Amino acid sequence: MEENRPDIGIERKKGEESVFNLKWFLTTVLAIWPWLLASVIISLILGNVYLRYTTPIYRSFAELLINDSKKGGSSNQEDIMQALKISNNRINVENEIEILKSRTLMTDVVKNLNLQINYTVIGRFKKANLYSIKPFEYFLADTADSYYGCKVQILNENEYLIKEIPNKVVRGKFGDTVATSHGNVVLLKTKYFSPAQPEINIRVTPLISTAKRFMSSIDIAAPSKGASCLILAMTDEIPERSVDVLNTLMKMYKDRNINTRTLIATRTMEFIDNRLTIVGAELTGVEITMADYKVQNNMVDMSAQSSALVTASSTAQEKLSDASVQLDVIKSVRDHLLGSNDDRSIIIPASLLENTGLASLTEKYNSIQIEVEKSEIVNTSDNPVTKALIKQRRDTKKNILDALQATQSELQLRVDKTNQELRNINSRVRDVPSV
């Protein structure tokens, strides 16, 4: 019994210590409970205010199928190119992503959807964006190159006031062209029009700045390596606008792709037509020469050794024909590029080139050329964007000429080497005794 007493004392101490801690905790809570309650209430209020008045951000997704002609049936144009030993490069998904992200394409989207104009209504605590349910459309007669803001007050079914800063008011009618300090504008009523509308704030941003802003909010990626489709995602505070931007971007990409490919294909076929007669005559001459050679050297009935030599000769002749055709194409493309002082109408037939690096350069040149032509339609030659495109075209042209020269030298060496190989084979054929 005596030996167990120390243990009982320890348990009492532990129990006393436990009771003491609980008592301290309860005493502390009771002492500061007003502050705890106030903190909880303030946190709930701030959270509610944040959720109610902070503008939410939405994310929209779209999937775009990249057409690849190699995966489908062979067209007549592809058959012609294959017969002429001409490559037809498959679509490069990375290149298509860069096209979709290009400023030019997004600028067209901004123009099409009139995204330079932002409509807002000031509420009690925050401003609300109007996009799909705005009572009127605000159109600029000219391209905006600076920021501008005003307020539009609807007076009645037909009239409105444009309030500019400082204290300038312009009265106009819906459908009429009205002169403002920012240029001529036209306001058109929508199906959501109502005279009982509060003042609407109009914010105009420059075209390029607007395009860059939307470009930065779009992500484009391939779902997997080798996939022939792209996933487009866009974040925006107005979900309807992000959906419209993605749909319009894909539509304009397809239209641009069709127009570009049609233009390049047309000019490529024109180039082929110009060279087809010459190339056909050269190939016919080679076939006639080979037939005459066989007859003259009695090659219709030969020994096994002679047959092997003739097979090697035919293989070398085919290699020579391929290299000669490609060399002729390289020379023709180089002469075509050097002989035209006006780059406006030059489209280089990239699909005629077997060298993938050179073909990629020419595709880049063709894309730049088309962008230059489009820019020159809507802008003057002194426009900074047009100047930058022209410089880029000039630099790319120089790189292509350098690459063409190097490729021409390489092909010439191949032709010379194959000719020497063919002469050696023909010499061995002549040394074979007749049967």
Side-chain angles (χ1 to χ4, degrees):
M1 297 296 292
E2 295 292 336
E3 294 179 355
N4 293 333
R5 288 177 182 174
D7 295 335
I8 294 173
I10 293 173
E11 289 178 0
R12 287 177 179 175
K13 289 181 179 180
K14 289 183 178 179
E16 290 174 359
E17 183 179 358
S18 176
V19 171
F20 175 77
N21 288 339
L22 179 61
K23 188 181 298 182
W24 174 86
F25 176 76
L26 293 175
T27 304
T28 303
V29 170
L30 292 174
I32 63 172
W33 74 265
W35 297 103
L36 291 176
L37 180 61
S39 299
V40 171
I41 294 174
I42 292 174
S43 298
L44 291 174
I45 293 174
L46 291 177
N48 184 57
V49 170
Y50 176 82
L51 292 175
R52 182 173 183 178
Y53 298 109
T54 300
T55 302
I57 301 298
Y58 302 90
R59 191 168 179 83
S60 302
F61 294 89
E63 185 173 351
L64 174 64
L65 177 65
I66 305 295
N67 292 326
D68 192 339
S69 59
K70 286 291 184 179
K71 293 183 179 179
S74 176
S75 64
N76 293 333
Q77 181 181 350
E78 292 169 357
D79 292 338
I80 293 173
M81 292 181 174
Q82 185 176 4
L84 292 175
K85 308 296 183 183
I86 295 169
S87 63
N88 190 9
N89 298 320
R90 297 177 63 175
I91 292 177
N92 189 317
V93 174
E94 287 74 17
N95 290 345
E96 302 308 306
I97 291 177
E98 292 304 316
I99 292 173
L100 283 164
K101 288 182 176 179
S102 66
R103 187 173 67 181
T104 303
L105 195 59
M106 184 54 70
T107 300
D108 292 339
V109 173
V110 171
K111 288 180 181 178
N112 184 271
L113 296 176
N114 198 29
L115 297 177
Q116 292 176 263
I117 315 301
N118 188 43
Y119 309 79
T120 57
V121 175
I122 304 299
R124 293 174 58 187
F125 297 99
K126 69 171 185 175
K127 62 181 180 181
N129 288 297
L130 302 180
Y131 179 73
S132 58
I133 57 172
K134 50 185 175 287
F136 58 83
E137 286 276 5
Y138 186 101
F139 291 99
L140 297 170
D142 304 311
T143 301
D145 55 0
S146 61
Y147 292 92
Y148 170 75
C150 67
K151 294 182 179 180
V152 176
Q153 179 184 355
I154 299 175
L155 299 178
N156 50 54
E157 289 285 343
N158 300 315
E159 294 182 307
Y160 60 86
L161 292 179
I162 296 179
K163 300 178 180 180
E164 298 180 322
I165 300 174
N167 300 326
K168 181 180 179 182
V169 178
V170 179
R171 191 184 188 98
K173 292 184 178 181
F174 290 102
D176 291 349
T177 301
V178 177
T180 68
S181 60
H182 193 246
N184 295 330
V185 300
V186 178
L187 273 64
L188 299 178
K189 293 189 290 186
T190 68
K191 63 180 181 180
Y192 301 103
F193 176 83
S194 172
Q197 289 278 352
E199 284 188 345
I200 296 177
N201 293 296
I202 302 295
R203 176 69 171 170
V204 182
T205 56
L207 181 62
I208 300 300
S209 300
T210 307
K212 287 181 177 179
R213 178 165 60 88
F214 283 105
M215 285 166 56
S216 63
S217 63
I218 293 179
D219 297 320
I220 305 174
S224 61
K225 186 177 181 180
S228 59
C229 64
L230 296 174
I231 303 299
L232 288 74
M234 179 177 176
T235 55
D236 193 37
E237 59 188 27
I238 306 175
E240 296 89 351
R241 183 169 61 186
S242 62
V243 171
D244 289 345
V245 169
L246 291 179
N247 288 335
T248 306
L249 179 64
M250 293 188 293
K251 180 181 182 302
M252 290 196 163
Y253 162 79
K254 292 178 180 179
D255 293 343
R256 178 187 183 278
N257 228 7
I258 292 172
N259 295 334
T260 301
R261 292 177 187 276
T262 301
L263 177 61
I264 293 176
T266 300
R267 296 189 183 178
T268 299
M269 294 308 294
E270 289 175 356
F271 182 88
I272 292 175
D273 290 339
N274 292 335
R275 300 299 305 169
L276 196 57
T277 303
I278 298 175
V279 174
E282 290 176 354
L283 294 176
T284 303
V286 170
E287 291 176 356
I288 294 173
T289 301
M290 290 181 65
D292 292 342
Y293 182 82
K294 289 180 180 180
V295 173
Q296 291 173 6
N297 292 275
N298 194 23
M299 291 183 179
V300 177
D301 186 15
M302 312 180 172
S303 64
Q305 182 183 1
S306 298
S307 298
L309 290 173
V310 170
T311 300
S313 177
S314 299
T315 302
Q317 188 66 53
E318 184 177 355
K319 287 167 57 180
L320 178 62
S321 177
D322 292 346
S324 298
V325 169
Q326 189 60 207
L327 179 61
D328 188 60
V329 169
I330 292 293
K331 289 180 179 178
S332 299
V333 171
R334 188 167 182 269
D335 293 341
H336 177 62
L337 199 57
L338 286 172
S340 179
N341 294 325
D342 183 10
D343 289 338
R344 186 185 303 275
S345 61
I346 292 181
I347 290 292
I348 306 175
S351 55
L352 303 182
L353 304 172
E354 288 184 350
N355 187 307
T356 55
L358 187 55
S360 178
L361 265 178
T362 55
E363 287 175 355
K364 178 181 178 182
Y365 177 90
N366 290 337
S367 298
I368 297 172
Q369 173 60 35
I370 292 171
E371 297 303 332
V372 170
E373 293 181 6
K374 290 174 60 178
S375 181
E376 288 178 338
I377 292 174
V378 297
N379 301 315
T380 63
S381 58
D382 294 330
N383 185 277
V385 175
T386 305
K387 283 184 175 181
L389 287 171
I390 291 175
K391 183 181 182 302
Q392 190 178 1
R393 180 183 64 184
R394 188 185 308 117
D395 294 340
T396 307
K397 177 180 177 180
K398 182 180 181 303
N399 293 336
I400 291 174
L401 287 172
D402 293 341
L404 285 170
Q405 181 62 47
T407 305
Q408 182 177 335
S409 301
E410 179 185 348
L411 285 170
Q412 187 62 57
L413 288 174
R414 192 191 307 174
V415 168
D416 294 342
K417 182 179 179 181
T418 308
N419 271 324
Q420 182 61 43
E421 180 184 351
L422 192 58
R423 283 194 293 269
N424 293 337
I425 294 173
N426 291 338
S427 176
R428 294 169 62 190
V429 169
R430 285 192 293 270
D431 293 339
V432 176
S434 301
V435 178

